Amino acid sequence: MIQIFSTIEYLKEKRSRQWGALTGLGELKLGPKKRLKLELVDTGLNIIGRFQINYLRLLQVINWAAGYSQEFKYLPLQDLRVKLGKVRGGMKINSIDGQALNHAPDFICYLDTKGNFFWVNATLLKELGYDSHELIGKSYEEFIHPEDRELAKARFSSLLNTQESNPSEIRIKKKDGTYFWGWVVGRILKQKGKVVGAALTIRDITERKEKEVEKIMRQRLESLRLIWEGINHDVNNAFFPIKGILDIFKVLRAMAKENPNKALEILNQMEYLEKIENSSERINRLTQKLHYFANFSGEAKVRTDLVALVEAVLSLMRGRFDRAEVKVIKHYPKSWNAKTEQEEQVPILLELHFNGVQVMLMDLLSNAIDAIVSRPEYDFRPKEIRILLDIVEEKEGKMAAIAIKDLGKGMSYEEQQKIFTPFFTTKPSGKGTGLGMTLAKHIVEEHGGKIKVYSKLGEGTTITILLPIDQSRA
Ligand SMILES: Nc1ncnc2c1ncn2[C@@H]1O[C@H](COP(=O)(O)OP(=O)(O)OP(=O)(O)O)[C@@H](O)[C@H]1O
Ligand SMILES: [Mg+2]
């Protein structure tokens, strides 16, 4: 195989009367005694080589030549057709119809197995502003956005090794230093059954990408607006009773100076503390939920006993259960202790985002309470919520199971379909933001778990959560 040419000795052009077309004549020095004569015409390019030459190298030569001569850059190569007949040495080389490639709407480049350019089409040069000698012989990596380089490298080596092409979206540098989004598809180049490089077709998809970014920004703004509306309303609703109670306290304080007994009587009659408790709980739940929306994975996981966590949540919510007169029935895993001859509670240990799971459990329980409270009046079933904790064997491995089963009003099929949609709520304004279930799903998925809803209108709802136990060992 011929060594890569080092210089182009001369390359001149002349008008060929005979052809009536612009013709270029060139000679390329390929080695001390090796020369390659070229004849370029606007209808095609005939290369008369006297040497055995790899046609990929030949393309490189043409490009090189084009890069050296402005006139040759586009015009003579417009109709690039490389024809190599039988050359001495006996190698028959296919003719390449370069016209389609050179002026294809997409950018096309050929890379050798090391990832160095040896041929690029005119569209690429023109649109990206490069001269061919600025690319030929250089590694493609230099032209890839640093953030996309790993992806590009992985795709290129998998293309060479597996000969499979996965289209990828990669940012590529133009001559002016700016980047464009390229949709890159590769195909392997073979010669005599051996992989000699890859041909890449690149489509500029910047416009589509920018639209995507714009769309995401618009969606974010829209959800920000919705969140703001939701919070604004909720916080105001939660603060309203506190403000009212403070006003009453001021009046009572003034009254207490003249008629302390009367003031005390009024104070005892009113359910101030419960109202404040309600309001502060609502604000607290809301801010916690928002915190998790803004910062899901910010919290580190801690080894937790699920049974103890559920107990803690229940004790935090005791007031709510009592006010709603809802009874909790608990089923925790137990084992028999032969020594004490008693049943003992078994802990369920796993790594959890503690606060996230706590907020989620509070939300699920509070949904269950709401569902019981809003049952129709003729529904005389007991006001009950069952909490079942267990360790189950799923196909993914061992999982901690939490089931919250309520005898509440249940959900229609349509409601069940929308339950995880942000801001979907059937609760009166100021009572629900419709973020509880959305957040629950996020938190469960963040743990690599699953959440299932089973509900029947008029009968009740069971929410089951499965959290992997083995992930904690990873
Ligand atoms: N256990 C349940 N029984 C009946 N309906 C439920 C139950 N859990 C959720 N839902 C329905 O799903 C809707 C969405 O629930 P989600 O927890 O996401 O929001 P929310 O409770 O309305 O508001 P938030 O939780 O943000 O305060 C509820 O409004 C309710 O209609
Ligand atoms: Mg809720």
Side-chain angles (χ1 to χ4, degrees):
M1 197 64 54
I2 287 164
Q3 272 288 304
I4 184 162
F5 50 89
S6 52
T7 55
I8 293 176
E9 199 158 69
Y10 66 92
L11 198 64
K12 55 183 185 184
E13 54 174 300
K14 64 167 194 193
R15 284 226 163 252
S16 156
R17 285 203 193 110
Q18 200 183 345
W19 291 89
L22 184 72
T23 305
L25 275 180
E27 195 176 51
L28 299 171
K29 195 175 170 189
L30 299 162
K33 281 189 175 172
K34 293 172 182 171
R35 274 147 206 268
L36 181 73
K37 284 210 169 89
L38 344 145
E39 193 184 278
L40 300 136
V41 292
D42 64 348
T43 52
L45 170 72
N46 295 302
I47 313 275
I48 303 117
R50 299 253 208 100
F51 316 97
Q52 184 181 340
I53 185 166
N54 173 336
Y55 85 80
L56 300 179
R57 282 266 184 267
L58 190 61
L59 283 176
Q60 197 171 14
V61 171
I62 294 160
N63 243 275
W64 191 290
Y68 269 76
S69 155
Q70 279 306 313
E71 291 87 340
F72 272 58
K73 190 163 165 190
Y74 300 120
L75 196 59
L77 298 181
Q78 252 170 20
D79 213 353
L80 172 71
R81 187 172 296 129
V82 181
K83 254 206 233 146
L84 262 192
K86 220 169 166 182
V87 288
R88 221 172 67 185
M91 193 173 123
K92 181 115 170 95
I93 296 168
N94 297 335
S95 96
I96 300 168
D97 189 4
Q99 183 181 10
L101 289 184
N102 219 16
H103 292 281
D106 294 326
F107 309 143
I108 300 169
C109 57
Y110 288 10
L111 306 176
D112 63 20
T113 48
K114 288 198 187 98
N116 297 328
F117 293 102
F118 63 78
W119 187 77
V120 292
N121 74 344
T123 314
L124 187 149
L125 292 175
K126 202 164 139 199
E127 297 294 324
L128 305 194
Y130 291 107
D131 272 335
S132 63
H133 67 266
E134 290 173 295
L135 298 177
I136 305 300
K138 299 249 173 71
S139 164
Y140 74 96
E141 283 178 34
E142 289 176 39
F143 302 90
I144 307 285
H145 193 283
E147 284 172 23
D148 298 338
R149 221 167 268 163
E150 284 312 310
L151 172 69
K153 274 156 90 176
R155 287 288 153 85
F156 185 64
S157 74
S158 101
L159 177 64
L160 292 186
N161 296 328
T162 66
Q163 314 204 354
E164 263 173 35
S165 170
N166 290 316
S168 32
E169 295 180 355
I170 282 169
R171 279 161 289 181
I172 300 162
K173 190 156 74 181
K174 291 188 186 177
K175 173 80 180 272
D176 64 11
T178 60
Y179 286 89
F180 74 97
W181 274 102
W183 187 69
V184 186
V185 195
R187 118 184 114 75
I188 217 78
L189 289 173
K190 277 185 175 175
Q191 203 178 23
K192 288 186 171 172
K194 215 180 119 204
V195 175
V196 291
L200 304 181
T201 306
I202 305 162
R203 183 162 294 181
D204 187 345
I205 53 159
T206 311
E207 214 174 291
R208 193 195 89 201
K209 275 291 199 188
E210 277 171 359
K211 277 206 186 112
E212 270 173 27
V213 172
E214 216 177 274
K215 199 172 145 208
I216 291 168
M217 291 298 284
R218 235 182 304 124
Q219 280 169 347
R220 286 221 177 125
L221 276 177
E222 180 58 15
S223 35
L224 200 65
R225 194 182 63 77
L226 285 170
I227 289 175
W228 171 244
E229 277 180 4
I231 313 170
N232 201 4
H233 204 88
D234 257 31
V235 172
N236 281 340
N237 269 304
F239 270 121
F240 195 67
I242 298 181
K243 173 83 174 56
I245 288 160
L246 281 177
D247 287 344
I248 295 172
F249 272 136
K250 279 182 199 156
V251 174
L252 287 178
R253 190 171 56 188
M255 190 192 267
K257 282 181 193 150
E258 278 143 37
N259 196 346
N261 287 342
K262 183 76 187 156
L264 205 61
E265 195 185 320
I266 296 173
L267 196 62
N268 281 332
Q269 274 167 7
M270 298 182 80
E271 298 159 330
Y272 305 108
L273 292 180
E274 284 79 3
K275 284 213 170 106
I276 292 182
E277 204 182 359
N278 259 339
S279 295
S280 57
E281 190 199 298
R282 228 191 290 166
I283 294 173
N284 191 257
R285 277 207 302 137
L286 185 70
T287 50
Q288 272 180 315
K289 236 181 290 181
L290 289 171
H291 172 76
Y292 281 97
F293 264 106
N295 189 18
F296 284 126
S297 41
E299 191 199 346
K301 282 186 182 163
V302 285
R303 198 157 179 78
T304 309
D305 173 12
L306 199 59
V307 180
L309 176 57
V310 169
E311 280 296 304
V313 167
L314 287 175
S315 89
L316 276 173
M317 294 182 72
R318 182 133 307 141
R320 275 211 71 192
F321 279 102
D322 290 348
R323 281 196 298 281
E325 295 172 342
V326 171
K327 208 171 130 203
V328 182
I329 300 166
K330 302 179 266 190
H331 303 265
Y332 296 160
K334 294 229 168 74
S335 74
W336 181 254
N337 186 328
K339 248 193 210 160
T340 59
E341 297 201 339
Q342 267 176 356
E343 270 202 326
E344 265 183 5
Q345 214 160 284
V346 181
I348 303 179
L349 288 167
L350 66 169
E351 310 263 321
L352 292 178
H353 293 301
F354 186 89
N355 290 320
V357 175
Q358 177 169 314
V359 171
M360 172 181 82
L361 291 173
M362 287 175 82
D363 250 322
L364 296 177
L365 288 169
S366 119
N367 281 348
I369 296 173
D370 289 345
I372 290 177
V373 172
S374 52
R375 283 190 325 201
E377 272 174 29
Y378 54 79
D379 191 338
F380 291 115
R381 291 176 301 155
K383 291 182 169 183
E384 256 174 36
I385 296 175
R386 277 171 202 270
I387 303 177
L388 291 89
L389 297 183
D390 209 349
I391 295 176
V392 293
E393 204 56 70
E394 291 281 295
K395 63 175 187 301
E396 295 91 344
K398 259 192 187 169
M399 297 239 183
I402 311 161
I404 297 175
K405 194 176 161 75
D406 66 63
L407 295 179
K409 69 181 170 75
M411 271 179 275
S412 68
Y413 177 74
E414 288 72 29
E415 279 171 352
Q416 289 177 50
Q417 294 301 101
K418 293 186 215 149
I419 190 168
F420 297 116
T421 311
F423 307 109
F424 168 72
T425 181
T426 56
K427 292 173 191 172
S429 102
K431 262 220 100 188
T433 22
L435 290 175
M437 293 303 290
T438 312
L439 182 63
K441 190 163 186 281
H442 277 289
I443 290 173
V444 168
E445 282 170 0
E446 215 188 9
H447 287 81
K450 289 187 281 193
I451 182 163
K452 293 180 203 165
V453 179
Y454 174 83
S455 187
K456 249 187 166 171
L457 202 57
E459 289 187 14
T461 303
T462 305
I463 308 281
T464 310
I465 286 164
L466 294 171
L467 300 173
I469 290 185
D470 290 334
Q471 56 135 29
S472 56
R473 285 178 212 144

